[in-house]
Amino acid sequence: MTAEDVIGLFADETRVRVFAAVALGATSATEVAERTGLPTRDALVALRRLEDREVVAADAGGLAVSYDSFRRLARDAAGPRPARDHGTGDERAEAVLRTFLRDGRLVKLPAQWNRKKLVLRHIAERSFEPGREYSEKEVDDRLRAWCEGGRADHVTLRRYLVDLNHLHRNDGVYRRPADGTARSD
């Protein structure tokens, strides 16, 4: 079933009413007819169509919405999601980065400290060359690019990067250490 099939399926008011009755707890055709106020025959025809399209399922407990079908439809409609490789070589790290980074942007900072440190280290490594000096404006510009459309701001990122020694700051000049002296706590 495609998204267009679902739209067509729910283009009929009778089927929408029958579906709503099932979603709200009707477990039999009789209950569906009672709750919708539809003639029994109309309710049965709509119910049969919904079952044929696997939107409603009948089991020992009665009628129920087939949420698995909707999840499958949503996945199919979204298409395949390419697994972005961030180049860490560590599958756990990759899973964290895929969760919080999308299309080169930080969606949000993780709440869990270890995940936050991992994401921040990745951002530092991808944004700043070791040993090179950067002005505060350059640092802000690079970090703003990570924050576009996300929930974090560049100032927060800059503060974390300095606090974790991913960037050293001296007289308004920032430098990523070359010797890997970032804190790990």
Side-chain angles (χ1 to χ4, degrees), residues 41-130:
R41 182 182 186 289
D42 292 348
L44 286 171
V45 168
L47 192 54
R48 190 172 307 118
R49 179 73 188 262
L50 292 169
E51 286 178 301
D52 289 345
R53 301 308 252 155
E54 298 177 353
V55 172
V56 171
D59 60 19
L63 298 170
V65 172
S66 180
Y67 292 105
D68 287 340
S69 291
F70 282 106
R71 280 189 281 276
R72 189 172 41 253
L73 177 64
R75 277 192 306 271
D76 292 347
R81 291 179 67 182
R84 169 109 167 97
D85 183 9
H86 293 90
T88 66
D90 177 352
E91 189 51 43
R92 284 187 149 160
E94 289 294 323
V96 171
L97 294 173
R98 279 192 301 268
T99 301
F100 296 99
L101 301 174
R102 302 249 169 73
D103 300 321
R105 304 282 189 262
L106 177 65
V107 177
K108 68 177 183 175
L109 274 173
Q112 188 180 64
W113 185 240
N114 286 335
R115 290 178 177 187
K116 187 178 295 186
K117 290 188 306 184
L118 174 81
V119 169
L120 290 165
R121 183 178 63 237
H122 178 80
I123 290 172
E125 290 171 353
R126 297 301 184 271
S127 302
F128 305 102
E129 294 176 37

Side-chain angles (χ1 to χ4, degrees), residues 9 15 24 34 39 43 68 72 74 79 91 125 157 167:
L9 188 65
R15 288 191 294 261
L24 293 172
E34 288 172 1
D68 287 340
R72 189 172 41 253
E91 189 51 43
E125 290 171 353
L157 287 183
L167 287 178

